Amino acid sequence: MLDTVKPSPDLTGFTRAEYDINGVRTVVHTIGSGPALVFLHGTGTFTGFEMARDWAKRHTVIIPYHAGFGDSGDADAIDTIEDHVLHYMDLFDKLALAQFDLAGFSLGGWLAAEFAIRQPQRVRKLVLVAPAGLVVPNAPAPGLFEIAPQELPAYLAHDPAAALRYFSKAPDPSFDARLGREVTGFAKLIRSDPQGNPKLANWLHRIAMPTLVLWGAADRLRPTAQAAAWRAGLPDARVTLVPATGHLVFEETPAAAQHVIDFLAD
Protein backbone atom coordinates (compact mmCIF):
# COMPACT_ATOMS: atom_id res chain seq x y z
CA MET A 1 0.00 0.00 0.00
CA LEU A 2 1.07 3.60 -0.42
CA ASP A 3 2.55 4.73 2.86
CA THR A 4 1.84 8.47 2.85
CA VAL A 5 -1.30 10.50 2.95
CA LYS A 6 -2.59 14.01 3.42
CA PRO A 7 -3.96 15.10 6.81
CA SER A 8 -7.16 13.51 8.12
CA PRO A 9 -10.37 14.16 6.14
CA ASP A 10 -12.26 17.36 6.93
CA LEU A 11 -15.33 16.53 9.04
CA THR A 12 -16.16 20.14 9.88
CA GLY A 13 -19.92 20.48 10.25
CA PHE A 14 -20.45 16.83 11.18
CA THR A 15 -21.52 15.89 14.67
CA ARG A 16 -19.73 12.96 16.29
CA ALA A 17 -21.32 10.51 18.72
CA GLU A 18 -20.15 7.29 20.34
CA TYR A 19 -22.38 4.36 21.23
CA ASP A 20 -21.72 1.15 23.11
CA ILE A 21 -23.25 -1.52 20.92
CA ASN A 22 -23.02 -4.88 22.62
CA GLY A 23 -19.65 -3.89 24.06
CA VAL A 24 -18.28 -2.37 20.83
CA ARG A 25 -17.46 1.34 20.76
CA THR A 26 -19.20 2.57 17.62
CA VAL A 27 -18.56 6.07 16.27
CA VAL A 28 -21.24 7.76 14.17
CA HIS A 29 -20.92 11.03 12.22
CA THR A 30 -24.06 12.95 11.27
CA ILE A 31 -24.74 15.99 9.10
CA GLY A 32 -27.82 17.73 7.70
CA SER A 33 -31.53 17.55 8.36
CA GLY A 34 -34.50 15.79 6.83
CA PRO A 35 -35.29 12.11 6.16
CA ALA A 36 -32.60 9.73 7.34
CA LEU A 37 -29.98 8.50 4.86
CA VAL A 38 -27.48 5.99 6.28
CA PHE A 39 -24.19 5.65 4.40
CA LEU A 40 -21.90 2.64 4.92
CA HIS A 41 -18.30 3.37 3.91
CA GLY A 42 -15.81 1.25 2.00
CA THR A 43 -12.64 -0.47 3.19
CA GLY A 44 -10.56 2.72 3.39
CA THR A 45 -11.93 5.76 5.20
CA PHE A 46 -9.06 8.10 4.34
CA THR A 47 -10.92 9.91 1.53
CA GLY A 48 -13.57 11.24 3.90
CA PHE A 49 -17.24 11.88 3.18
CA GLU A 50 -17.42 15.12 1.20
CA MET A 51 -20.36 13.90 -0.91
CA ALA A 52 -22.46 13.82 2.28
CA ARG A 53 -22.43 17.63 2.33
CA ASP A 54 -24.53 17.63 -0.85
CA TRP A 55 -26.88 14.96 0.49
CA ALA A 56 -27.24 16.89 3.77
CA LYS A 57 -29.15 19.64 1.99
CA ARG A 58 -32.15 17.28 1.91
CA HIS A 59 -31.32 14.49 4.34
CA THR A 60 -29.96 13.72 7.76
CA VAL A 61 -26.91 11.77 6.67
CA ILE A 62 -25.76 9.20 9.21
CA ILE A 63 -22.31 7.65 8.71
CA PRO A 64 -21.23 4.97 11.18
CA TYR A 65 -17.73 3.54 11.20
CA HIS A 66 -17.80 -0.25 10.92
CA ALA A 67 -16.51 -2.16 13.92
CA GLY A 68 -12.73 -2.34 13.50
CA PHE A 69 -12.66 0.57 11.03
CA GLY A 70 -12.12 4.31 11.36
CA ASP A 71 -12.61 5.54 14.92
CA SER A 72 -14.79 2.62 16.00
CA GLY A 73 -13.38 0.02 18.38
CA ASP A 74 -12.12 -3.43 17.56
CA ALA A 75 -14.36 -6.42 18.11
CA ASP A 76 -12.97 -9.95 17.95
CA ALA A 77 -16.49 -11.35 17.73
CA ILE A 78 -17.26 -9.35 14.56
CA ASP A 79 -15.30 -10.95 11.75
CA THR A 80 -17.92 -12.01 9.19
CA ILE A 81 -20.42 -10.07 7.08
CA GLU A 82 -23.23 -11.62 9.13
CA ASP A 83 -21.64 -10.29 12.33
CA HIS A 84 -21.43 -6.77 10.88
CA VAL A 85 -25.05 -6.89 9.74
CA LEU A 86 -26.24 -7.97 13.18
CA HIS A 87 -24.12 -5.22 14.71
CA TYR A 88 -25.86 -2.69 12.47
CA MET A 89 -29.27 -4.05 13.39
CA ASP A 90 -28.41 -3.29 17.01
CA LEU A 91 -27.04 0.16 16.15
CA PHE A 92 -30.08 1.15 14.11
CA ASP A 93 -32.33 -0.03 16.94
CA LYS A 94 -30.30 2.19 19.29
CA LEU A 95 -30.75 5.13 16.91
CA ALA A 96 -34.50 4.41 16.64
CA LEU A 97 -34.30 4.14 12.85
CA ALA A 98 -37.49 2.34 11.92
CA GLN A 99 -37.22 3.10 8.20
CA PHE A 100 -34.56 4.96 6.25
CA ASP A 101 -32.75 5.21 2.94
CA LEU A 102 -29.56 3.14 2.86
CA ALA A 103 -26.46 3.67 0.72
CA GLY A 104 -23.14 1.88 0.70
CA PHE A 105 -19.88 2.05 -1.22
CA SER A 106 -17.71 -0.98 -2.06
CA LEU A 107 -17.52 -2.99 1.20
CA GLY A 108 -20.31 -0.75 2.50
CA GLY A 109 -22.40 -1.65 -0.55
CA TRP A 110 -21.97 -5.32 0.26
CA LEU A 111 -23.04 -4.67 3.85
CA ALA A 112 -26.00 -2.58 2.69
CA ALA A 113 -27.20 -5.36 0.39
CA GLU A 114 -26.85 -8.02 3.07
CA PHE A 115 -28.72 -5.81 5.54
CA ALA A 116 -31.53 -5.15 3.03
CA ILE A 117 -31.90 -8.90 2.44
CA ARG A 118 -32.46 -9.48 6.16
CA GLN A 119 -34.54 -6.43 7.10
CA PRO A 120 -36.10 -5.14 3.87
CA GLN A 121 -38.95 -3.47 5.73
CA ARG A 122 -36.51 -0.94 7.21
CA VAL A 123 -35.06 0.23 3.87
CA ARG A 124 -37.17 2.63 1.80
CA LYS A 125 -34.65 2.95 -1.04
CA LEU A 126 -31.22 1.38 -1.53
CA VAL A 127 -28.12 2.80 -3.23
CA LEU A 128 -25.21 0.46 -4.05
CA VAL A 129 -22.06 2.24 -5.21
CA ALA A 130 -19.54 -0.12 -6.86
CA PRO A 131 -20.52 -2.78 -4.29
CA ALA A 132 -18.31 -5.69 -3.32
CA GLY A 133 -19.67 -9.08 -2.27
CA LEU A 134 -21.30 -10.53 -5.37
CA VAL A 135 -19.32 -13.37 -6.94
CA VAL A 136 -19.26 -12.77 -10.71
CA PRO A 137 -17.11 -15.44 -12.41
CA ASN A 138 -16.94 -13.65 -15.76
CA ALA A 139 -15.82 -10.36 -14.17
CA PRO A 140 -13.75 -11.16 -11.07
CA ALA A 141 -12.24 -8.43 -8.91
CA PRO A 142 -8.44 -8.37 -8.60
CA GLY A 143 -7.04 -10.04 -5.52
CA LEU A 144 -6.68 -7.81 -2.48
CA PHE A 145 -2.90 -8.18 -2.35
CA GLU A 146 -2.24 -8.60 -6.07
CA ILE A 147 -2.05 -4.86 -6.81
CA ALA A 148 1.45 -3.36 -6.60
CA PRO A 149 1.57 -0.19 -4.45
CA GLN A 150 2.60 1.99 -7.36
CA GLU A 151 -0.37 0.76 -9.37
CA LEU A 152 -2.97 1.44 -6.68
CA PRO A 153 -3.91 4.99 -7.81
CA ALA A 154 -4.77 3.69 -11.28
CA TYR A 155 -7.09 1.12 -9.72
CA LEU A 156 -8.74 3.68 -7.47
CA ALA A 157 -9.39 6.26 -10.19
CA HIS A 158 -9.62 6.54 -13.97
CA ASP A 159 -7.25 9.51 -13.68
CA PRO A 160 -4.66 8.45 -11.10
CA ALA A 161 -4.19 12.10 -10.10
CA ALA A 162 -7.70 12.02 -8.61
CA ALA A 163 -6.51 9.39 -6.14
CA LEU A 164 -3.01 10.76 -5.64
CA ARG A 165 -4.35 14.02 -4.21
CA TYR A 166 -5.26 12.07 -1.06
CA PHE A 167 -1.62 11.08 -0.64
CA SER A 168 1.41 13.18 0.23
CA LYS A 169 5.16 12.76 0.01
CA ALA A 170 5.75 12.88 3.76
CA PRO A 171 5.61 9.51 5.57
CA ASP A 172 2.70 9.14 7.99
CA PRO A 173 2.98 6.01 10.17
CA SER A 174 -0.35 6.72 11.86
CA PHE A 175 -2.09 6.59 8.49
CA ASP A 176 -0.28 3.39 7.58
CA ALA A 177 -1.54 1.81 10.79
CA ARG A 178 -5.10 2.99 10.28
CA LEU A 179 -5.32 1.82 6.67
CA GLY A 180 -3.56 -1.43 7.50
CA ARG A 181 -6.12 -2.11 10.21
CA GLU A 182 -8.96 -1.51 7.75
CA VAL A 183 -7.47 -3.65 4.99
CA THR A 184 -6.93 -6.43 7.52
CA GLY A 185 -10.56 -6.08 8.60
CA PHE A 186 -11.71 -6.53 5.00
CA ALA A 187 -9.35 -9.46 4.49
CA LYS A 188 -11.08 -11.28 7.35
CA LEU A 189 -14.42 -10.93 5.57
CA ILE A 190 -13.17 -12.56 2.37
CA ARG A 191 -11.05 -15.30 3.93
CA SER A 192 -13.49 -17.99 2.79
CA ASP A 193 -13.88 -16.62 -0.74
CA PRO A 194 -11.75 -13.72 -2.03
CA GLN A 195 -14.57 -12.63 -4.33
CA GLY A 196 -17.23 -12.27 -1.63
CA ASN A 197 -20.32 -14.28 -0.72
CA PRO A 198 -21.08 -17.13 -3.16
CA LYS A 199 -24.64 -17.34 -1.79
CA LEU A 200 -25.45 -13.65 -2.13
CA ALA A 201 -26.91 -13.96 -5.65
CA ASN A 202 -29.42 -16.49 -4.36
CA TRP A 203 -30.97 -13.94 -1.99
CA LEU A 204 -30.99 -10.76 -4.04
CA HIS A 205 -34.67 -11.34 -4.84
CA ARG A 206 -35.44 -10.26 -1.27
CA ILE A 207 -34.23 -6.74 -2.06
CA ALA A 208 -37.55 -5.59 -3.49
CA MET A 209 -37.21 -1.88 -2.71
CA PRO A 210 -36.14 0.52 -5.51
CA THR A 211 -32.38 0.25 -5.90
CA LEU A 212 -29.82 2.43 -7.64
CA VAL A 213 -26.62 0.68 -8.71
CA LEU A 214 -24.06 3.43 -9.28
CA TRP A 215 -20.68 2.60 -10.80
CA GLY A 216 -17.64 4.26 -12.31
CA ALA A 217 -17.56 3.33 -15.99
CA ALA A 218 -13.79 2.76 -15.76
CA ASP A 219 -13.63 0.93 -12.43
CA ARG A 220 -10.76 -1.57 -12.30
CA LEU A 221 -10.87 -2.39 -8.60
CA ARG A 222 -14.48 -3.57 -8.72
CA PRO A 223 -15.02 -4.29 -12.43
CA THR A 224 -17.85 -2.30 -13.98
CA ALA A 225 -19.09 -5.45 -15.76
CA GLN A 226 -20.34 -6.67 -12.37
CA ALA A 227 -23.11 -4.06 -12.51
CA ALA A 228 -25.05 -6.22 -14.98
CA ALA A 229 -25.03 -9.15 -12.54
CA TRP A 230 -26.45 -6.97 -9.78
CA ARG A 231 -29.17 -5.64 -12.06
CA ALA A 232 -30.06 -9.16 -13.18
CA GLY A 233 -30.58 -10.31 -9.60
CA LEU A 234 -32.40 -7.29 -8.17
CA PRO A 235 -36.17 -7.03 -8.73
CA ASP A 236 -36.33 -3.21 -9.02
CA ALA A 237 -32.95 -1.80 -9.96
CA ARG A 238 -31.53 0.79 -12.28
CA VAL A 239 -27.85 1.04 -13.21
CA THR A 240 -26.09 4.36 -13.73
CA LEU A 241 -22.51 4.44 -15.00
CA VAL A 242 -20.45 7.55 -14.33
CA PRO A 243 -18.23 8.30 -17.35
CA ALA A 244 -14.44 8.58 -17.07
CA THR A 245 -14.59 7.50 -13.43
CA GLY A 246 -12.91 4.70 -11.52
CA HIS A 247 -13.64 3.09 -8.16
CA LEU A 248 -13.65 6.29 -6.11
CA VAL A 249 -16.86 7.45 -7.71
CA PHE A 250 -17.65 10.48 -5.56
CA GLU A 251 -14.04 11.56 -5.08
CA GLU A 252 -13.14 11.49 -8.78
CA THR A 253 -16.49 12.86 -9.99
CA PRO A 254 -18.14 14.87 -7.18
CA ALA A 255 -21.15 15.60 -9.39
CA ALA A 256 -22.05 11.88 -9.10
CA ALA A 257 -23.52 12.67 -5.68
CA GLN A 258 -26.44 14.26 -7.53
CA HIS A 259 -27.47 10.87 -8.92
CA VAL A 260 -28.19 9.77 -5.36
CA ILE A 261 -30.17 12.92 -4.58
CA ASP A 262 -32.28 12.54 -7.72
CA PHE A 263 -32.93 8.85 -7.08
CA LEU A 264 -34.03 9.38 -3.48
CA ALA A 265 -36.29 12.25 -4.54
CA ASP A 266 -38.27 10.18 -7.07
Side-chain angles (χ1 to χ4, degrees):
M1 305 298 291
L2 294 177
D3 62 357
T4 59
V5 71
K6 292 170 62 177
S8 298
D10 179 14
L11 293 175
T12 303
F14 290 77
T15 61
R16 183 183 190 278
E18 292 188 9
Y19 300 90
D20 183 333
I21 305 299
N22 195 30
V24 179
R25 178 172 56 83
T26 303
V27 173
V28 179
H29 291 284
T30 304
I31 189 171
S33 61
L37 167 59
V38 174
F39 177 74
L40 303 181
H41 62 77
T43 296
T45 59
F46 64 94
T47 58
F49 311 113
E50 285 301 305
M51 70 291 178
R53 299 186 192 279
D54 290 329
W55 300 340
K57 297 171 184 177
R58 299 188 184 184
H59 298 271
T60 299
V61 185
I62 301 166
I63 305 176
Y65 281 123
H66 313 324
F69 290 73
D71 295 337
S72 288
D74 291 322
D76 291 339
I78 299 179
D79 65 355
T80 68
I81 285 291
E82 180 72 15
D83 294 330
H84 279 281
V85 170
L86 291 169
H87 174 74
Y88 276 126
M89 289 180 186
D90 285 346
L91 174 64
F92 298 154
D93 287 346
K94 181 79 170 182
L95 298 177
L97 292 172
Q99 190 178 58
F100 50 92
D101 294 321
L102 178 60
F105 163 66
S106 198
L107 166 59
W110 181 6
L111 286 170
E114 298 270 7
F115 180 90
I117 285 169
R118 290 159 177 80
Q119 292 199 327
Q121 74 281 0
R122 297 181 82 162
V123 182
R124 188 186 74 96
K125 289 189 175 183
L126 180 66
V127 179
L128 303 176
V129 185
L134 192 63
V135 178
V136 185
N138 66 342
L144 183 61
F145 299 107
E146 293 176 2
I147 302 171
Q150 66 273 18
E151 296 178 355
L152 180 59
Y155 276 85
L156 290 173
H158 174 60
D159 177 2
L164 283 170
R165 69 172 180 261
Y166 293 98
F167 298 85
S168 70
K169 296 180 180 180
D172 188 341
S174 65
F175 170 74
D176 287 348
R178 183 180 178 112
L179 183 58
R181 173 177 178 251
E182 294 177 340
V183 170
T184 298
F186 179 68
K188 290 180 181 178
L189 302 179
I190 57 172
R191 62 188 183 277
S192 296
D193 189 319
Q195 292 298 311
N197 178 3
K199 295 183 178 180
L200 179 56
N202 190 54
W203 301 108
L204 291 182
H205 68 275
R206 289 182 52 81
I207 303 178
M209 73 288 298
T211 301
L212 170 65
V213 179
L214 184 65
W215 223 294
D219 193 340
R220 296 175 64 196
L221 196 63
R222 189 60 51 181
T224 306
Q226 292 191 359
W230 282 94
R231 178 168 51 190
L234 294 166
D236 184 6
R238 69 179 74 169
V239 172
T240 298
L241 302 182
V242 183
T245 302
H247 191 61
L248 297 178
V249 176
F250 300 122
E251 290 81 3
E252 184 165 18
T253 306
Q258 187 64 41
H259 290 297
V260 178
I261 294 171
D262 293 343
F263 172 70
L264 298 181
D266 286 350

